[in-house]
Amino acid sequence: MNQPSLFPAKNKSGSGLASRIGADDLNPAQFEAVQTIKGPVLVIAGAGSGKTRTLVYRLVHMVEQGIAPDNILLLTFTRKAAQQMVGRAATLLDDTCQRVMGGTFHAVANLLLRRYGHYVGYAPNFTILDRADAEGIINLIKSSLDLSGAGKRFPSKRVILNIISGSVNKSHSLEELVSSQYFHLAEFMDDLHRIRNHYQQFKRDHGLMDYDDLLVNFRDVLAENENVRCEVSARFQYLMVDEYQDTNRIQAQIVRLIASSHDNVMVVGDDSQSIYSFRGADFRNIMDFPKIYSGTKIIRLEENYRSSQKILEMTNAIIEQAQERYPKKLFSNIAAGERPALFAARDEKEQARYVAQKIDELHRQGTPYHEMAVLFRAGFHSFKLELELAGSQIAFEKWGGLKLTETAHVKDVISYLRLIANIQDNLSWHRILLHLPKVGPKTAQKILATLSSAEDPLAALSKYPTAPAWKNEFDELVRMLYDLRNSRTPLAQFERIMEYYQPVFERLYHDDYPSRARDLEQFKNIIGEYQTLQEFLDDASLDPPDLTADPLAASDNKTLILSTIHSAKGLEWDTVFIIDLADGKFPSAHCIPFPDQFEEERRLLYVAATRAKTRLFLSYPRESIAPDRSRHFCTISPFLAQLSAGLINNVSPVGSFYGGYSAPVGRFSHQEKPAQVFSYEKKSEVSQANAASATGKITSTSMLSPGMAVKHPFFGSGQIKKIIGENKVDIFFPRHGMKSLCLDYAQLELI
């Protein structure tokens, strides 16, 4: 960002915010947001407009105005964001700002449920389940209900958990979610209800909460207990919520309940960057905020400190086409830079070659690889590019992969630690008992049955009658667990666990235990920074460290970045490439019939384009190969086709085998839709299409063009994708996928 340094000198004369901040520290809109403390405030913060700076200075201003830091709650979507904001405020003012409670919704819910969880039947030492743990429980329940095994068609544990979690985060019933997203699983509805009910009961019986439970239980405690709601609302008299467009309905309800006694709540976000509906984010939260909080003051941050004006002219034009939005127009004082460039490649191979050549060219001209990124809608869109980059010997990093605490060997160690905090954690018991030689699931269940009825599970464990084949290892496990009770620090507990676990570790992972050992060394460094075990376990579940979280490794990373757009949100690069901008790829063909999803795809492109500071390159293939190896003609994304001429430069790659192609940007007006414009229609074909509309039936492909909407008596509504000969067409049906149909039998109708 090119905005002036965040922290002005502390020794400025005078006192209070006005004298502390210089003329260049905040722009007028930011300053207005900082000064507005009382009542509901909605800050529409455009991409790169300095929202973090605004939140930091507002924290400082509130403390300077005499508001106790303990009365301020800052809710963010990552722990790192909250720590940085509070830390910067402390640097700007003093350490009293460190008393502000800042964290994620889940972290704050966890902290307060340790105090108030008994209202919903949980003791303070409940255990938080991660994704793998939850799937493991689902698998156990499937087995106990005889819904798994060879030959079973029942959905997998992953899909079942997605359905259960999706219904919570989207505030839908199981029936609503299955009918909209998993309609092919409707026959299993009764069994899905049974699994969900057993899953909920299992968690309650064993003092477990998954991520969704943290939010639901916290919401329920506030909603159903007036004394708790009043106490929490009185404690947090001023709320600030970052990235409000990413909240789900439950999170919005939590904010409403905490603010119930005062309405002193500022939410900061950008409706144009709402792109996480797949995980429950509700676009309506930010759009309906002024309706829910009467008297809301709306402040727009429109000055962009990241991108050149030429890039912003294009991004503004993209989002102006949105069906519903808060009006704003980003502007920048960065006049340098080039207009975004568009390359229409012959196919995906030429697109990959063009991007690789351009990256190499820019690097030779002085742009570091780490200042360039290639963004795409879905991970598989980059496969051909990855091959091209490897062939060109350009190193790259594709974001994703396992978290450190999601690896099997680290989860083993965490299971021992979790038993110290919650001796009733059957999931952890089950995992570590299965590490014993000759102990299988049935034996583990017998041991667990003994422990569940014991007053002191460890004492009962030490007396359990063992078989000679695993007695020595079992006795060593018991000794280790007793020692853990007497260890005072998480680091000491880890070291004692490793004394026991090392031979188990080498036996379980004999193929690659040396490489896995490096993860355990990194894990040791992380756990050594914690004073209490519960603090570590909470952070490990709520905000897992990455395998690549080594600061030294990160500082040396000078590679090109390949990333999905969702993973790139909030970041920026000097040069950005966005690939596969073809209709059916971006937006996805699956979302075209659904207006809400179509609009989210538009916002996704807006997010991608606003990551670029100086240069933005756009590309798409004019021809793609389907899974059956057939070739399909591609048209440019409608989001780009709607742009006015002059916003984008059409380019040809240097050394292309196929030559350039002038893409039809600006061909469509802002009012016209690409599917309604036909370049090669003849009058007779128009007449035939009109006749088809009158009679209802389609008898010839001459009546059709790609993009037309049609209806089939069985498959329902779909969109023409390709004309094949005189009587065959490829049609995409949202509920059934791509179908090749013969018009002699299809009984298609125009919509």
PDB file of all heavy atoms in Angstrom, residues 62-76:
ATOM      1  N   MET A  62     -10.920   5.760  20.559  1.00  0.00           N
ATOM      2  CA  MET A  62     -11.877   5.362  21.595  1.00  0.00           C
ATOM      3  C   MET A  62     -11.203   5.327  22.969  1.00  0.00           C
ATOM      4  O   MET A  62     -11.762   5.800  23.964  1.00  0.00           O
ATOM      5  CB  MET A  62     -12.480   4.001  21.251  1.00  0.00           C
ATOM      6  CG  MET A  62     -13.382   4.038  20.038  1.00  0.00           C
ATOM      7  SD  MET A  62     -13.776   2.392  19.404  1.00  0.00           S
ATOM      8  CE  MET A  62     -14.861   1.799  20.670  1.00  0.00           C
ATOM      9  N   VAL A  63      -9.993   4.782  23.031  1.00  0.00           N
ATOM     10  CA  VAL A  63      -9.279   4.721  24.304  1.00  0.00           C
ATOM     11  C   VAL A  63      -8.925   6.125  24.770  1.00  0.00           C
ATOM     12  O   VAL A  63      -9.039   6.454  25.962  1.00  0.00           O
ATOM     13  CB  VAL A  63      -8.019   3.839  24.175  1.00  0.00           C
ATOM     14  CG1 VAL A  63      -7.193   3.884  25.459  1.00  0.00           C
ATOM     15  CG2 VAL A  63      -8.410   2.396  23.854  1.00  0.00           C
ATOM     16  N   GLU A  64      -8.512   6.979  23.835  1.00  0.00           N
ATOM     17  CA  GLU A  64      -8.185   8.364  24.205  1.00  0.00           C
ATOM     18  C   GLU A  64      -9.406   9.139  24.693  1.00  0.00           C
ATOM     19  O   GLU A  64      -9.279  10.063  25.491  1.00  0.00           O
ATOM     20  CB  GLU A  64      -7.569   9.093  23.010  1.00  0.00           C
ATOM     21  CG  GLU A  64      -6.121   8.727  22.751  1.00  0.00           C
ATOM     22  CD  GLU A  64      -5.446   9.695  21.798  1.00  0.00           C
ATOM     23  OE1 GLU A  64      -6.123  10.227  20.910  1.00  0.00           O
ATOM     24  OE2 GLU A  64      -4.242   9.914  21.959  1.00  0.00           O
ATOM     25  N   GLN A  65     -10.580   8.740  24.226  1.00  0.00           N
ATOM     26  CA  GLN A  65     -11.806   9.408  24.657  1.00  0.00           C
ATOM     27  C   GLN A  65     -12.288   8.914  26.021  1.00  0.00           C
ATOM     28  O   GLN A  65     -13.341   9.329  26.499  1.00  0.00           O
ATOM     29  CB  GLN A  65     -12.910   9.196  23.622  1.00  0.00           C
ATOM     30  CG  GLN A  65     -12.667   9.894  22.293  1.00  0.00           C
ATOM     31  CD  GLN A  65     -12.535  11.397  22.454  1.00  0.00           C
ATOM     32  OE1 GLN A  65     -13.411  12.051  23.006  1.00  0.00           O
ATOM     33  NE2 GLN A  65     -11.418  11.942  21.994  1.00  0.00           N
ATOM     34  N   GLY A  66     -11.532   8.017  26.624  1.00  0.00           N
ATOM     35  CA  GLY A  66     -11.872   7.561  27.969  1.00  0.00           C
ATOM     36  C   GLY A  66     -12.622   6.245  28.024  1.00  0.00           C
ATOM     37  O   GLY A  66     -13.035   5.810  29.106  1.00  0.00           O
ATOM     38  N   ILE A  67     -12.819   5.603  26.890  1.00  0.00           N
ATOM     39  CA  ILE A  67     -13.488   4.302  26.886  1.00  0.00           C
ATOM     40  C   ILE A  67     -12.496   3.243  27.369  1.00  0.00           C
ATOM     41  O   ILE A  67     -11.378   3.152  26.863  1.00  0.00           O
ATOM     42  CB  ILE A  67     -13.997   3.951  25.480  1.00  0.00           C
ATOM     43  CG1 ILE A  67     -15.071   4.965  25.049  1.00  0.00           C
ATOM     44  CG2 ILE A  67     -14.554   2.533  25.433  1.00  0.00           C
ATOM     45  CD1 ILE A  67     -15.500   4.823  23.601  1.00  0.00           C
ATOM     46  N   ALA A  68     -12.907   2.461  28.355  1.00  0.00           N
ATOM     47  CA  ALA A  68     -12.024   1.428  28.892  1.00  0.00           C
ATOM     48  C   ALA A  68     -11.756   0.376  27.826  1.00  0.00           C
ATOM     49  O   ALA A  68     -12.700  -0.116  27.191  1.00  0.00           O
ATOM     50  CB  ALA A  68     -12.663   0.787  30.114  1.00  0.00           C
ATOM     51  N   PRO A  69     -10.500   0.004  27.598  1.00  0.00           N
ATOM     52  CA  PRO A  69     -10.196  -1.031  26.593  1.00  0.00           C
ATOM     53  C   PRO A  69     -10.953  -2.335  26.845  1.00  0.00           C
ATOM     54  O   PRO A  69     -11.308  -3.041  25.902  1.00  0.00           O
ATOM     55  CB  PRO A  69      -8.683  -1.227  26.738  1.00  0.00           C
ATOM     56  CG  PRO A  69      -8.193   0.058  27.321  1.00  0.00           C
ATOM     57  CD  PRO A  69      -9.280   0.550  28.211  1.00  0.00           C
ATOM     58  N   ASP A  70     -11.214  -2.647  28.112  1.00  0.00           N
ATOM     59  CA  ASP A  70     -11.939  -3.872  28.442  1.00  0.00           C
ATOM     60  C   ASP A  70     -13.367  -3.859  27.918  1.00  0.00           C
ATOM     61  O   ASP A  70     -14.004  -4.922  27.838  1.00  0.00           O
ATOM     62  CB  ASP A  70     -11.980  -4.080  29.957  1.00  0.00           C
ATOM     63  CG  ASP A  70     -10.592  -4.270  30.543  1.00  0.00           C
ATOM     64  OD1 ASP A  70      -9.736  -4.812  29.832  1.00  0.00           O
ATOM     65  OD2 ASP A  70     -10.376  -3.877  31.704  1.00  0.00           O
ATOM     66  N   ASN A  71     -13.870  -2.677  27.577  1.00  0.00           N
ATOM     67  CA  ASN A  71     -15.249  -2.559  27.085  1.00  0.00           C
ATOM     68  C   ASN A  71     -15.338  -2.604  25.564  1.00  0.00           C
ATOM     69  O   ASN A  71     -16.410  -2.407  24.995  1.00  0.00           O
ATOM     70  CB  ASN A  71     -15.892  -1.264  27.582  1.00  0.00           C
ATOM     71  CG  ASN A  71     -16.090  -1.234  29.080  1.00  0.00           C
ATOM     72  OD1 ASN A  71     -15.935  -0.208  29.724  1.00  0.00           O
ATOM     73  ND2 ASN A  71     -16.423  -2.375  29.675  1.00  0.00           N
ATOM     74  N   ILE A  72     -14.202  -2.851  24.905  1.00  0.00           N
ATOM     75  CA  ILE A  72     -14.169  -2.878  23.438  1.00  0.00           C
ATOM     76  C   ILE A  72     -13.960  -4.317  22.977  1.00  0.00           C
ATOM     77  O   ILE A  72     -13.098  -5.030  23.494  1.00  0.00           O
ATOM     78  CB  ILE A  72     -13.038  -1.979  22.897  1.00  0.00           C
ATOM     79  CG1 ILE A  72     -13.219  -0.535  23.386  1.00  0.00           C
ATOM     80  CG2 ILE A  72     -13.000  -2.029  21.371  1.00  0.00           C
ATOM     81  CD1 ILE A  72     -12.037   0.371  23.057  1.00  0.00           C
ATOM     82  N   LEU A  73     -14.734  -4.736  21.983  1.00  0.00           N
ATOM     83  CA  LEU A  73     -14.594  -6.067  21.393  1.00  0.00           C
ATOM     84  C   LEU A  73     -14.343  -5.915  19.902  1.00  0.00           C
ATOM     85  O   LEU A  73     -15.123  -5.276  19.192  1.00  0.00           O
ATOM     86  CB  LEU A  73     -15.856  -6.901  21.632  1.00  0.00           C
ATOM     87  CG  LEU A  73     -15.896  -8.296  20.976  1.00  0.00           C
ATOM     88  CD1 LEU A  73     -14.767  -9.172  21.507  1.00  0.00           C
ATOM     89  CD2 LEU A  73     -17.242  -8.973  21.211  1.00  0.00           C
ATOM     90  N   LEU A  74     -13.245  -6.498  19.430  1.00  0.00           N
ATOM     91  CA  LEU A  74     -12.883  -6.474  18.009  1.00  0.00           C
ATOM     92  C   LEU A  74     -13.001  -7.890  17.461  1.00  0.00           C
ATOM     93  O   LEU A  74     -12.275  -8.791  17.897  1.00  0.00           O
ATOM     94  CB  LEU A  74     -11.452  -5.949  17.840  1.00  0.00           C
ATOM     95  CG  LEU A  74     -10.832  -6.051  16.448  1.00  0.00           C
ATOM     96  CD1 LEU A  74     -11.589  -5.181  15.446  1.00  0.00           C
ATOM     97  CD2 LEU A  74      -9.353  -5.661  16.482  1.00  0.00           C
ATOM     98  N   LEU A  75     -13.897  -8.098  16.522  1.00  0.00           N
ATOM     99  CA  LEU A  75     -14.122  -9.415  15.937  1.00  0.00           C
ATOM    100  C   LEU A  75     -13.558  -9.444  14.516  1.00  0.00           C
ATOM    101  O   LEU A  75     -13.886  -8.590  13.691  1.00  0.00           O
ATOM    102  CB  LEU A  75     -15.618  -9.746  15.913  1.00  0.00           C
ATOM    103  CG  LEU A  75     -16.251  -9.983  17.289  1.00  0.00           C
ATOM    104  CD1 LEU A  75     -17.769 -10.030  17.173  1.00  0.00           C
ATOM    105  CD2 LEU A  75     -15.726 -11.262  17.911  1.00  0.00           C
ATOM    106  N   THR A  76     -12.705 -10.427  14.250  1.00  0.00           N
ATOM    107  CA  THR A  76     -12.066 -10.558  12.942  1.00  0.00           C
ATOM    108  C   THR A  76     -12.229 -11.999  12.452  1.00  0.00           C
ATOM    109  O   THR A  76     -12.812 -12.836  13.135  1.00  0.00           O
ATOM    110  CB  THR A  76     -10.570 -10.220  13.029  1.00  0.00           C
ATOM    111  OG1 THR A  76      -9.929 -11.174  13.892  1.00  0.00           O
ATOM    112  CG2 THR A  76     -10.352  -8.824  13.582  1.00  0.00           C
TER     113      THR A  76
END
